[in-house]
Amino acid sequence: MEKLEDKSPNEGITSKIQHNKGYMALLIVILGLGHVLDEYSSLAPGMIKSSIIDEFFVSIGWKTQDEALQFMNLLGMSAMVIMIGATLFKSLQDVYGRKLIFVISAIGMTLGMVLMIVAGGFWVYFAGTIVSSFFIFNDMQYIYIQEETPARKRAQYFSYAKILGLLGLLLVPVVRSFTVVEGSENWRPVLYPPLIIGVIVVLLSIFFLKETRAFQIMKKEREEKKEKSGIEEEKITLKSTFNAVRKIPTWNQIKWLAILPMGFMFFAMLNQSYSEIFMDQAGVSLADRNIVLALSTIFVGVAYFVNGLITDRVGRKASLIFNASVVIVLVVVEYFAMWAAPASSSKMLFLVIAAISQGFRIGAFWNITDVARMMMFENTPTKYRGTVQALSGIALFLPMIPGLFLTNALISAFPGNIQLVLITVGIPANLFVIWGTIYKLKETVHIDITEIEGYI
């Protein structure tokens, strides 16, 4: 990949589109709360999964825990249609702007949580997960942060917003400690906070959120070109975007930043969804699980914070290699510590080791996905950024079907031990990340993404 130039072809436009410090502070609050909503919607159901399975499957004699896990994985194949729709919806941000899609996504995640809470049976709950997932997949807070923050602190600001999201997620073990107890596993109150947070995010976004500077610069540039030439710019579609980005100098980077996630997609489906199930299978009590979940959540935040420093100060490639190496080591440490804890005289020590390993492992893996997405943004012009993100999202569906069958096969191969599935899939997936980063990617640290528009 050739080096992106430092000159700014949009310098005149940029000077007219500035946000004051007060707005930037408000923006971080809105995006942080948006990330609370996203993190809560993504992670909280996995922290109460054994209780959900017990209510909808085991207690009524429908399926065993392992059978329910396999069944829910197979249902993920039907959800792929919804996910494809989500990626197409995401591409509309290049046409209608970032703000509109952000607001709609916040509304959608909130409504999905409502359905999950009121569900009297599994199918209504599943419908809620589909609605929530549709909008979670849009991850609009990512592109807002990337397009509004200075290049030298982009990853750090992003990590701050994610850490704020995790602070909200600490409510899960607190609520669990009162409602998910032996003999009475009422998991629904765990999902109440997103309703309040969602309403706040939607209202703040409608009244105070602005379009990103990068999008406004692109819009101004389009208007000026139209005034000079009198010709409308070609409509952005998935096909036209694909054809266009194949001709730009950063195409090889974009291509590999789409291929690498296809390799670790297998592990993405396991990374966070089964941690509480694993504790259940290892024999960790409900009370002890709350301790593990609280400490684990804190160390997800620690992983995010460390990643922000490494990514901005050392580089994107160093971040990918570091986080993939951490996952490989900690997924094994977590396994042995968790299984040793219940019967050990040093139970609390082993639980602390398992919790720290689990949290840093979960955070490190999501750091990989975040940095890969960040590098994708840093290689793509503003006018194609949302559509390229949608195209790379569609590419992820290719490994999903074999991934689901592989996961189910491994659950059958290791009955009652989902963590061995994580190890079997996670180590090769993260070795692939390390290989691809070293041999296929080039550094993009400190790139001003508002300038990429004039690079092609």
Side-chain angles (χ1 to χ4, degrees):
M1 182 186 80
E2 299 177 26
K3 183 180 182 295
L4 292 178
E5 298 176 5
D6 294 329
K7 65 181 181 178
S8 176
N10 300 311
E11 189 173 347
I13 299 173
T14 305
S15 63
K16 299 175 185 177
I17 303 174
Q18 298 290 341
H19 297 325
N20 60 42
K21 291 182 180 179
Y23 173 74
M24 290 304 295
L26 179 61
L27 177 66
I28 293 298
V29 171
I30 294 174
L31 296 180
L33 288 173
H35 207 79
V36 173
L37 180 61
D38 186 288
E39 289 276 347
Y40 212 111
S41 301
S42 302
L43 295 173
M47 293 181 172
I48 51 176
K49 199 158 193 170
S50 64
S51 298
I52 293 169
I53 287 175
D54 185 65
E55 177 178 331
F56 293 142
F57 295 95
V58 179
S59 65
I60 60 175
W62 183 11
K63 293 180 184 294
T64 66
Q65 188 180 80
D66 280 346
E67 289 171 344
L69 288 171
Q70 292 174 316
F71 178 66
M72 293 170 79
N73 283 337
L74 287 174
L75 285 177
M77 294 174 62
S78 64
M80 287 175 59
V81 178
I82 304 298
M83 292 166 62
I84 291 173
T87 58
L88 295 176
F89 173 74
K90 183 187 299 183
S91 69
L92 296 177
Q93 64 183 275
D94 285 341
V95 179
Y96 299 106
R98 306 340 188 188
K99 176 178 177 177
L100 177 62
I101 307 303
F102 181 91
V103 173
I104 293 174
S105 297
I107 293 172
M109 280 187 278
T110 306
L111 291 177
M113 285 291 112
V114 172
L115 282 175
M116 293 162 72
I117 289 169
V118 301
F122 173 73
W123 293 112
V124 175
Y125 175 85
F126 178 66
T129 64
I130 291 294
V131 173
S132 182
S133 298
F134 180 96
F135 295 102
I136 288 173
F137 290 134
N138 291 295
D139 290 327
M140 286 303 301
Q141 71 275 15
Y142 284 80
I143 199 164
Y144 249 100
I145 292 173
Q146 302 308 313
E147 292 189 343
E148 289 287 52
T149 54
R152 69 185 182 279
K153 290 188 177 290
R154 188 171 295 141
Q156 292 173 68
Y157 283 6
F158 183 58
S159 70
Y160 300 155
K162 293 195 74 173
I163 289 169
L164 180 56
L166 287 171
L167 291 175
L169 197 63
L170 283 171
L171 289 170
V172 173
V174 173
V175 178
R176 269 182 59 103
S177 66
F178 292 105
T179 63
V180 183
V181 295
E182 301 292 350
S184 177
E185 299 184 25
N186 184 11
W187 52 268
R188 286 172 175 78
V190 174
L191 302 181
Y192 290 167
L195 303 184
I196 301 170
I197 297 167
V199 171
I200 294 171
V201 170
V202 170
L203 292 176
L204 286 177
S205 300
I206 290 173
F207 292 108
F208 300 108
L209 196 63
K210 302 176 183 177
E211 282 294 351
T212 67
R213 287 177 62 251
F215 186 82
Q216 290 186 64
I217 290 168
M218 178 198 72
K219 191 174 179 181
K220 287 281 187 182
E221 189 179 55
R222 282 177 177 172
E223 291 170 355
E224 290 181 1
K225 285 181 179 178
K226 182 181 176 182
E227 288 177 6
K228 291 178 181 178
S229 65
I231 302 173
E232 286 275 2
E233 191 168 308
E234 183 183 357
K235 185 179 179 181
I236 295 175
T237 64
L238 293 176
K239 182 178 179 181
S240 66
T241 297
F242 180 70
N243 290 333
V245 296
R246 289 178 63 191
K247 299 174 183 177
I248 66 177
T250 54
W251 162 245
N252 194 55
Q253 293 290 289
I254 293 172
K255 178 182 69 177
W256 276 102
L257 287 165
I259 292 172
L260 283 177
M262 293 171 66
F264 59 68
M265 186 64 186
F266 296 111
F267 189 63
M269 293 182 284
L270 293 164
N271 182 54
Q272 71 185 35
S273 301
Y274 298 96
S275 297
E276 199 262 345
I277 288 287
F278 171 44
M279 286 189 277
D280 184 56
Q281 293 175 341
V284 178
S285 69
L286 286 174
D288 286 341
R289 281 182 230 175
N290 291 326
I291 297 172
V292 173
L293 289 173
L295 193 55
S296 172
T297 302
I298 291 170
F299 273 85
V300 173
V302 172
Y304 289 166
F305 179 76
V306 171
N307 181 67
L309 297 177
I310 294 174
T311 307
D312 280 338
R313 296 183 183 182
V314 183
R316 302 347 186 185
K317 291 184 63 172
S319 170
L320 291 174
I321 294 168
F322 169 77
N323 283 295
S325 301
V326 163
V327 173
I328 291 171
V329 173
L330 292 187
V331 74
V332 177
V333 173
E334 177 191 357
Y335 173 79
F336 286 107
M338 195 77 80
W339 278 95
S344 174
S345 58
S346 302
K347 180 181 75 169
M348 192 53 61
L349 174 62
F350 280 115
L351 285 177
V352 168
I353 294 172
I356 293 172
S357 300
Q358 181 185 98
F360 215 102
R361 180 260 299 174
I362 291 173
F365 182 76
W366 290 126
N367 288 336
I368 294 169
T369 65
D370 293 338
V371 173
R373 190 179 321 193
M374 185 179 297
M375 292 182 75
M376 180 75 81
F377 291 155
E378 291 170 343
N379 279 282
T380 308
T382 302
K383 65 180 177 181
Y384 297 129
R385 201 163 287 138
T387 313
V388 164
Q389 190 180 357
L391 284 168
S392 63
I394 292 173
L396 292 178
F397 299 125
L398 297 177
M400 282 193 73
I401 292 179
L404 289 168
F405 281 110
L406 173 64
T407 300
N408 277 356
L410 289 172
I411 289 173
S412 297
F414 305 117
N417 198 338
I418 195 73
Q419 187 68 359
L420 280 179
V421 181
L422 267 73
I423 292 172
T424 304
V425 175
I427 291 177
N430 284 278
L431 286 173
F432 178 63
V433 171
I434 294 172
W435 171 84
T437 301
I438 293 172
Y439 294 106
K440 297 298 180 180
L441 299 182
K442 294 187 178 180
E443 191 56 71
T444 58
V445 68
H446 297 163
I447 294 300
D448 184 345
I449 60 177
T450 66
E451 297 178 5
I452 303 175
E453 191 75 46
Y455 173 57
I456 61 173

mmCIF file of all heavy atoms in Angstrom, residues 119-155:
data_model
loop_
_atom_site.group_PDB
_atom_site.id
_atom_site.type_symbol
_atom_site.label_atom_id
_atom_site.label_comp_id
_atom_site.label_asym_id
_atom_site.label_seq_id
_atom_site.Cartn_x
_atom_site.Cartn_y
_atom_site.Cartn_z
ATOM 1 N N ALA A 119 -41.242 -11.542 26.719
ATOM 2 C CA ALA A 119 -41.425 -12.871 26.129
ATOM 3 C C ALA A 119 -41.929 -13.878 27.160
ATOM 4 O O ALA A 119 -41.340 -14.048 28.223
ATOM 5 C CB ALA A 119 -40.105 -13.353 25.527
ATOM 6 N N GLY A 120 -43.034 -14.549 26.800
ATOM 7 C CA GLY A 120 -43.547 -15.620 27.646
ATOM 8 C C GLY A 120 -43.096 -16.981 27.164
ATOM 9 O O GLY A 120 -43.311 -17.996 27.828
ATOM 10 N N GLY A 121 -42.488 -17.009 25.995
ATOM 11 C CA GLY A 121 -41.988 -18.251 25.409
ATOM 12 C C GLY A 121 -40.762 -17.953 24.564
ATOM 13 O O GLY A 121 -40.430 -16.794 24.293
ATOM 14 N N PHE A 122 -40.109 -19.009 24.114
ATOM 15 C CA PHE A 122 -38.837 -18.834 23.407
ATOM 16 C C PHE A 122 -38.981 -18.061 22.116
ATOM 17 O O PHE A 122 -38.125 -17.244 21.771
ATOM 18 C CB PHE A 122 -38.194 -20.191 23.121
ATOM 19 C CG PHE A 122 -36.961 -20.065 22.251
ATOM 20 C CD1 PHE A 122 -35.789 -19.539 22.780
ATOM 21 C CD2 PHE A 122 -36.995 -20.422 20.905
ATOM 22 C CE1 PHE A 122 -34.655 -19.399 21.983
ATOM 23 C CE2 PHE A 122 -35.871 -20.279 20.111
ATOM 24 C CZ PHE A 122 -34.694 -19.777 20.647
ATOM 25 N N TRP A 123 -40.053 -18.266 21.354
ATOM 26 C CA TRP A 123 -40.135 -17.679 20.008
ATOM 27 C C TRP A 123 -40.280 -16.157 20.064
ATOM 28 O O TRP A 123 -39.743 -15.451 19.207
ATOM 29 C CB TRP A 123 -41.280 -18.316 19.217
ATOM 30 C CG TRP A 123 -40.988 -19.760 18.916
ATOM 31 C CD1 TRP A 123 -41.620 -20.856 19.405
ATOM 32 C CD2 TRP A 123 -39.928 -20.252 18.085
ATOM 33 N NE1 TRP A 123 -41.042 -22.004 18.945
ATOM 34 C CE2 TRP A 123 -40.003 -21.673 18.123
ATOM 35 C CE3 TRP A 123 -38.937 -19.647 17.324
ATOM 36 C CZ2 TRP A 123 -39.114 -22.484 17.420
ATOM 37 C CZ3 TRP A 123 -38.041 -20.451 16.614
ATOM 38 C CH2 TRP A 123 -38.131 -21.849 16.665
ATOM 39 N N VAL A 124 -40.982 -15.636 21.060
ATOM 40 C CA VAL A 124 -41.064 -14.177 21.212
ATOM 41 C C VAL A 124 -39.690 -13.634 21.627
ATOM 42 O O VAL A 124 -39.232 -12.601 21.135
ATOM 43 C CB VAL A 124 -42.131 -13.775 22.250
ATOM 44 C CG1 VAL A 124 -42.119 -12.259 22.483
ATOM 45 C CG2 VAL A 124 -43.507 -14.235 21.792
ATOM 46 N N TYR A 125 -39.029 -14.372 22.528
ATOM 47 C CA TYR A 125 -37.674 -13.973 22.929
ATOM 48 C C TYR A 125 -36.742 -13.958 21.715
ATOM 49 O O TYR A 125 -35.960 -13.023 21.532
ATOM 50 C CB TYR A 125 -37.139 -14.941 23.982
ATOM 51 C CG TYR A 125 -35.702 -14.664 24.367
ATOM 52 C CD1 TYR A 125 -35.390 -13.719 25.346
ATOM 53 C CD2 TYR A 125 -34.655 -15.336 23.740
ATOM 54 C CE1 TYR A 125 -34.075 -13.456 25.681
ATOM 55 C CE2 TYR A 125 -33.335 -15.067 24.066
ATOM 56 C CZ TYR A 125 -33.051 -14.129 25.032
ATOM 57 O OH TYR A 125 -31.750 -13.852 25.354
ATOM 58 N N PHE A 126 -36.841 -14.993 20.891
ATOM 59 C CA PHE A 126 -35.989 -15.073 19.696
ATOM 60 C C PHE A 126 -36.268 -13.905 18.749
ATOM 61 O O PHE A 126 -35.349 -13.328 18.163
ATOM 62 C CB PHE A 126 -36.236 -16.408 18.983
ATOM 63 C CG PHE A 126 -35.440 -16.586 17.718
ATOM 64 C CD1 PHE A 126 -34.056 -16.690 17.762
ATOM 65 C CD2 PHE A 126 -36.074 -16.630 16.478
ATOM 66 C CE1 PHE A 126 -33.313 -16.850 16.603
ATOM 67 C CE2 PHE A 126 -35.349 -16.792 15.311
ATOM 68 C CZ PHE A 126 -33.965 -16.903 15.372
ATOM 69 N N ALA A 127 -37.557 -13.541 18.609
ATOM 70 C CA ALA A 127 -37.900 -12.382 17.771
ATOM 71 C C ALA A 127 -37.235 -11.123 18.297
ATOM 72 O O ALA A 127 -36.742 -10.280 17.534
ATOM 73 C CB ALA A 127 -39.423 -12.212 17.724
ATOM 74 N N GLY A 128 -37.206 -10.976 19.624
ATOM 75 C CA GLY A 128 -36.544 -9.823 20.229
ATOM 76 C C GLY A 128 -35.059 -9.798 19.921
ATOM 77 O O GLY A 128 -34.486 -8.739 19.641
ATOM 78 N N THR A 129 -34.410 -10.979 19.966
ATOM 79 C CA THR A 129 -32.983 -11.032 19.659
ATOM 80 C C THR A 129 -32.720 -10.678 18.198
ATOM 81 O O THR A 129 -31.708 -10.052 17.873
ATOM 82 C CB THR A 129 -32.389 -12.420 19.955
ATOM 83 O OG1 THR A 129 -32.988 -13.398 19.090
ATOM 84 C CG2 THR A 129 -32.625 -12.812 21.401
ATOM 85 N N ILE A 130 -33.649 -11.068 17.320
ATOM 86 C CA ILE A 130 -33.495 -10.742 15.892
ATOM 87 C C ILE A 130 -33.571 -9.231 15.684
ATOM 88 O O ILE A 130 -32.738 -8.632 14.989
ATOM 89 C CB ILE A 130 -34.584 -11.439 15.053
ATOM 90 C CG1 ILE A 130 -34.352 -12.952 15.025
ATOM 91 C CG2 ILE A 130 -34.602 -10.891 13.627
ATOM 92 C CD1 ILE A 130 -33.101 -13.387 14.310
ATOM 93 N N VAL A 131 -34.585 -8.596 16.287
ATOM 94 C CA VAL A 131 -34.749 -7.145 16.149
ATOM 95 C C VAL A 131 -33.534 -6.423 16.722
ATOM 96 O O VAL A 131 -32.960 -5.524 16.090
ATOM 97 C CB VAL A 131 -36.041 -6.667 16.867
ATOM 98 C CG1 VAL A 131 -36.116 -5.144 16.873
ATOM 99 C CG2 VAL A 131 -37.270 -7.256 16.183
ATOM 100 N N SER A 132 -33.126 -6.821 17.918
ATOM 101 C CA SER A 132 -31.984 -6.180 18.565
ATOM 102 C C SER A 132 -30.710 -6.380 17.742
ATOM 103 O O SER A 132 -29.941 -5.444 17.513
ATOM 104 C CB SER A 132 -31.801 -6.752 19.971
ATOM 105 O OG SER A 132 -30.740 -6.112 20.640
ATOM 106 N N SER A 133 -30.483 -7.615 17.262
ATOM 107 C CA SER A 133 -29.280 -7.921 16.486
ATOM 108 C C SER A 133 -29.213 -7.125 15.196
ATOM 109 O O SER A 133 -28.135 -6.692 14.777
ATOM 110 C CB SER A 133 -29.216 -9.422 16.173
ATOM 111 O OG SER A 133 -29.129 -10.186 17.354
ATOM 112 N N PHE A 134 -30.377 -6.938 14.555
ATOM 113 C CA PHE A 134 -30.410 -6.177 13.304
ATOM 114 C C PHE A 134 -29.747 -4.815 13.481
ATOM 115 O O PHE A 134 -28.951 -4.370 12.653
ATOM 116 C CB PHE A 134 -31.862 -6.004 12.858
ATOM 117 C CG PHE A 134 -32.018 -5.240 11.565
ATOM 118 C CD1 PHE A 134 -32.151 -5.910 10.356
ATOM 119 C CD2 PHE A 134 -32.048 -3.852 11.546
ATOM 120 C CE1 PHE A 134 -32.301 -5.218 9.166
ATOM 121 C CE2 PHE A 134 -32.187 -3.143 10.363
ATOM 122 C CZ PHE A 134 -32.316 -3.841 9.163
ATOM 123 N N PHE A 135 -30.046 -4.167 14.588
ATOM 124 C CA PHE A 135 -29.529 -2.817 14.808
ATOM 125 C C PHE A 135 -28.178 -2.807 15.508
ATOM 126 O O PHE A 135 -27.391 -1.879 15.312
ATOM 127 C CB PHE A 135 -30.557 -1.991 15.576
ATOM 128 C CG PHE A 135 -31.825 -1.775 14.783
ATOM 129 C CD1 PHE A 135 -32.965 -2.518 15.043
ATOM 130 C CD2 PHE A 135 -31.857 -0.853 13.744
ATOM 131 C CE1 PHE A 135 -34.124 -2.336 14.299
ATOM 132 C CE2 PHE A 135 -33.010 -0.667 12.991
ATOM 133 C CZ PHE A 135 -34.143 -1.407 13.267
ATOM 134 N N ILE A 136 -27.881 -3.843 16.310
ATOM 135 C CA ILE A 136 -26.549 -3.946 16.899
ATOM 136 C C ILE A 136 -25.505 -4.058 15.809
ATOM 137 O O ILE A 136 -24.421 -3.474 15.881
ATOM 138 C CB ILE A 136 -26.460 -5.161 17.855
ATOM 139 C CG1 ILE A 136 -27.253 -4.887 19.135
ATOM 140 C CG2 ILE A 136 -25.000 -5.467 18.202
ATOM 141 C CD1 ILE A 136 -27.356 -6.087 20.045
ATOM 142 N N PHE A 137 -25.819 -4.824 14.744
ATOM 143 C CA PHE A 137 -24.859 -5.036 13.665
ATOM 144 C C PHE A 137 -24.481 -3.739 12.961
ATOM 145 O O PHE A 137 -23.472 -3.687 12.258
ATOM 146 C CB PHE A 137 -25.413 -6.031 12.638
ATOM 147 C CG PHE A 137 -25.497 -7.434 13.141
ATOM 148 C CD1 PHE A 137 -26.626 -8.199 12.939
ATOM 149 C CD2 PHE A 137 -24.449 -7.989 13.858
ATOM 150 C CE1 PHE A 137 -26.709 -9.494 13.418
ATOM 151 C CE2 PHE A 137 -24.524 -9.283 14.349
ATOM 152 C CZ PHE A 137 -25.663 -10.045 14.119
ATOM 153 N N ASN A 138 -25.278 -2.696 13.140
ATOM 154 C CA ASN A 138 -24.965 -1.434 12.462
ATOM 155 C C ASN A 138 -23.838 -0.661 13.150
ATOM 156 O O ASN A 138 -23.116 0.082 12.500
ATOM 157 C CB ASN A 138 -26.228 -0.564 12.370
ATOM 158 C CG ASN A 138 -27.231 -1.156 11.408
ATOM 159 O OD1 ASN A 138 -26.979 -1.242 10.232
ATOM 160 N ND2 ASN A 138 -28.362 -1.607 11.918
ATOM 161 N N ASP A 139 -23.710 -0.813 14.462
ATOM 162 C CA ASP A 139 -22.564 -0.240 15.195
ATOM 163 C C ASP A 139 -22.266 1.195 14.769
ATOM 164 O O ASP A 139 -21.112 1.547 14.487
ATOM 165 C CB ASP A 139 -21.317 -1.099 14.977
ATOM 166 C CG ASP A 139 -21.421 -2.444 15.687
ATOM 167 O OD1 ASP A 139 -22.049 -2.491 16.749
ATOM 168 O OD2 ASP A 139 -20.872 -3.423 15.179
ATOM 169 N N MET A 140 -23.280 2.043 14.734
ATOM 170 C CA MET A 140 -23.099 3.397 14.199
ATOM 171 C C MET A 140 -22.189 4.266 15.049
ATOM 172 O O MET A 140 -21.600 5.229 14.556
ATOM 173 C CB MET A 140 -24.461 4.070 14.035
ATOM 174 C CG MET A 140 -25.276 3.556 12.860
ATOM 175 S SD MET A 140 -24.386 3.706 11.296
ATOM 176 C CE MET A 140 -24.092 5.466 11.230
ATOM 177 N N GLN A 141 -22.048 3.939 16.343
ATOM 178 C CA GLN A 141 -21.159 4.738 17.177
ATOM 179 C C GLN A 141 -19.706 4.618 16.704
ATOM 180 O O GLN A 141 -18.890 5.518 16.912
ATOM 181 C CB GLN A 141 -21.285 4.353 18.651
ATOM 182 C CG GLN A 141 -20.727 3.003 19.032
ATOM 183 C CD GLN A 141 -21.719 1.884 18.791
ATOM 184 O OE1 GLN A 141 -22.712 2.053 18.088
ATOM 185 N NE2 GLN A 141 -21.459 0.724 19.370
ATOM 186 N N TYR A 142 -19.368 3.502 16.044
ATOM 187 C CA TYR A 142 -18.003 3.308 15.551
ATOM 188 C C TYR A 142 -17.640 4.380 14.529
ATOM 189 O O TYR A 142 -16.615 5.048 14.650
ATOM 190 C CB TYR A 142 -17.867 1.930 14.893
ATOM 191 C CG TYR A 142 -17.791 0.776 15.841
ATOM 192 C CD1 TYR A 142 -18.943 0.244 16.420
ATOM 193 C CD2 TYR A 142 -16.579 0.193 16.167
ATOM 194 C CE1 TYR A 142 -18.884 -0.821 17.284
ATOM 195 C CE2 TYR A 142 -16.504 -0.882 17.034
ATOM 196 C CZ TYR A 142 -17.661 -1.394 17.590
ATOM 197 O OH TYR A 142 -17.597 -2.449 18.457
ATOM 198 N N ILE A 143 -18.467 4.536 13.522
ATOM 199 C CA ILE A 143 -18.119 5.463 12.451
ATOM 200 C C ILE A 143 -18.188 6.906 12.944
ATOM 201 O O ILE A 143 -17.419 7.763 12.495
ATOM 202 C CB ILE A 143 -19.022 5.250 11.212
ATOM 203 C CG1 ILE A 143 -18.352 5.865 9.973
ATOM 204 C CG2 ILE A 143 -20.431 5.802 11.422
ATOM 205 C CD1 ILE A 143 -18.931 5.397 8.667
ATOM 206 N N TYR A 144 -19.085 7.203 13.898
ATOM 207 C CA TYR A 144 -19.139 8.545 14.474
ATOM 208 C C TYR A 144 -17.819 8.895 15.148
ATOM 209 O O TYR A 144 -17.252 9.967 14.937
ATOM 210 C CB TYR A 144 -20.286 8.651 15.487
ATOM 211 C CG TYR A 144 -21.399 9.549 15.004
ATOM 212 C CD1 TYR A 144 -22.556 9.025 14.458
ATOM 213 C CD2 TYR A 144 -21.280 10.932 15.077
ATOM 214 C CE1 TYR A 144 -23.578 9.853 14.006
ATOM 215 C CE2 TYR A 144 -22.288 11.770 14.632
ATOM 216 C CZ TYR A 144 -23.432 11.229 14.088
ATOM 217 O OH TYR A 144 -24.424 12.050 13.633
ATOM 218 N N ILE A 145 -17.317 7.983 15.969
ATOM 219 C CA ILE A 145 -16.070 8.239 16.673
ATOM 220 C C ILE A 145 -14.913 8.358 15.690
ATOM 221 O O ILE A 145 -14.063 9.251 15.798
ATOM 222 C CB ILE A 145 -15.796 7.128 17.707
ATOM 223 C CG1 ILE A 145 -16.836 7.202 18.835
ATOM 224 C CG2 ILE A 145 -14.388 7.249 18.284
ATOM 225 C CD1 ILE A 145 -16.770 6.059 19.819
ATOM 226 N N GLN A 146 -14.878 7.479 14.696
ATOM 227 C CA GLN A 146 -13.773 7.508 13.726
ATOM 228 C C GLN A 146 -13.748 8.806 12.929
ATOM 229 O O GLN A 146 -12.677 9.332 12.617
ATOM 230 C CB GLN A 146 -13.886 6.326 12.754
ATOM 231 C CG GLN A 146 -13.894 4.951 13.396
ATOM 232 C CD GLN A 146 -12.735 4.745 14.340
ATOM 233 O OE1 GLN A 146 -11.597 5.049 14.016
ATOM 234 N NE2 GLN A 146 -13.012 4.236 15.529
ATOM 235 N N GLU A 147 -14.927 9.338 12.612
ATOM 236 C CA GLU A 147 -14.985 10.522 11.749
ATOM 237 C C GLU A 147 -14.961 11.842 12.517
ATOM 238 O O GLU A 147 -14.874 12.894 11.908
ATOM 239 C CB GLU A 147 -16.242 10.448 10.859
ATOM 240 C CG GLU A 147 -16.160 9.336 9.835
ATOM 241 C CD GLU A 147 -17.273 9.383 8.804
ATOM 242 O OE1 GLU A 147 -18.303 10.063 9.045
ATOM 243 O OE2 GLU A 147 -17.124 8.738 7.750
ATOM 244 N N GLU A 148 -15.027 11.795 13.831
ATOM 245 C CA GLU A 148 -15.070 13.034 14.607
ATOM 246 C C GLU A 148 -13.831 13.276 15.468
ATOM 247 O O GLU A 148 -13.572 14.398 15.876
ATOM 248 C CB GLU A 148 -16.304 13.034 15.533
ATOM 249 C CG GLU A 148 -17.633 13.195 14.803
ATOM 250 C CD GLU A 148 -17.870 14.604 14.290
ATOM 251 O OE1 GLU A 148 -16.974 15.135 13.602
ATOM 252 O OE2 GLU A 148 -18.929 15.162 14.570
ATOM 253 N N THR A 149 -13.073 12.236 15.758
ATOM 254 C CA THR A 149 -11.949 12.395 16.683
ATOM 255 C C THR A 149 -10.637 12.608 15.937
ATOM 256 O O THR A 149 -10.483 12.141 14.804
ATOM 257 C CB THR A 149 -11.821 11.163 17.598
ATOM 258 O OG1 THR A 149 -11.749 9.983 16.790
ATOM 259 C CG2 THR A 149 -13.008 11.060 18.515
ATOM 260 N N PRO A 150 -9.656 13.320 16.536
ATOM 261 C CA PRO A 150 -8.365 13.542 15.891
ATOM 262 C C PRO A 150 -7.611 12.235 15.704
ATOM 263 O O PRO A 150 -7.697 11.329 16.543
ATOM 264 C CB PRO A 150 -7.627 14.469 16.864
ATOM 265 C CG PRO A 150 -8.315 14.285 18.176
ATOM 266 C CD PRO A 150 -9.736 13.980 17.851
ATOM 267 N N ALA A 151 -6.867 12.141 14.601
ATOM 268 C CA ALA A 151 -6.198 10.885 14.242
ATOM 269 C C ALA A 151 -5.274 10.377 15.337
ATOM 270 O O ALA A 151 -5.206 9.182 15.601
ATOM 271 C CB ALA A 151 -5.412 11.078 12.941
ATOM 272 N N ARG A 152 -4.568 11.284 16.017
ATOM 273 C CA ARG A 152 -3.572 10.852 16.998
ATOM 274 C C ARG A 152 -4.190 10.256 18.249
ATOM 275 O O ARG A 152 -3.498 9.602 19.048
ATOM 276 C CB ARG A 152 -2.662 12.030 17.367
ATOM 277 C CG ARG A 152 -3.343 13.119 18.158
ATOM 278 C CD ARG A 152 -2.442 14.315 18.410
ATOM 279 N NE ARG A 152 -3.092 15.328 19.217
ATOM 280 C CZ ARG A 152 -3.946 16.226 18.743
ATOM 281 N NH1 ARG A 152 -4.243 16.229 17.445
ATOM 282 N NH2 ARG A 152 -4.502 17.127 19.535
ATOM 283 N N LYS A 153 -5.492 10.494 18.477
ATOM 284 C CA LYS A 153 -6.149 9.955 19.677
ATOM 285 C C LYS A 153 -7.401 9.147 19.333
ATOM 286 O O LYS A 153 -8.241 8.898 20.182
ATOM 287 C CB LYS A 153 -6.520 11.091 20.631
ATOM 288 C CG LYS A 153 -5.327 11.761 21.297
ATOM 289 C CD LYS A 153 -5.775 12.733 22.366
ATOM 290 C CE LYS A 153 -4.587 13.349 23.081
ATOM 291 N NZ LYS A 153 -3.887 12.380 23.937
ATOM 292 N N ARG A 154 -7.521 8.719 18.091
ATOM 293 C CA ARG A 154 -8.738 8.051 17.627
ATOM 294 C C ARG A 154 -9.040 6.789 18.427
ATOM 295 O O ARG A 154 -10.156 6.590 18.911
ATOM 296 C CB ARG A 154 -8.595 7.728 16.138
ATOM 297 C CG ARG A 154 -9.868 7.211 15.484
ATOM 298 C CD ARG A 154 -9.679 7.131 13.979
ATOM 299 N NE ARG A 154 -9.486 8.455 13.412
ATOM 300 C CZ ARG A 154 -8.626 8.731 12.420
ATOM 301 N NH1 ARG A 154 -7.874 7.781 11.919
ATOM 302 N NH2 ARG A 154 -8.519 9.958 11.955
ATOM 303 N N ALA A 155 -8.051 5.922 18.583
ATOM 304 C CA ALA A 155 -8.281 4.664 19.295
ATOM 305 C C ALA A 155 -8.530 4.902 20.778
ATOM 306 O O ALA A 155 -9.331 4.196 21.407
ATOM 307 C CB ALA A 155 -7.088 3.734 19.103
#
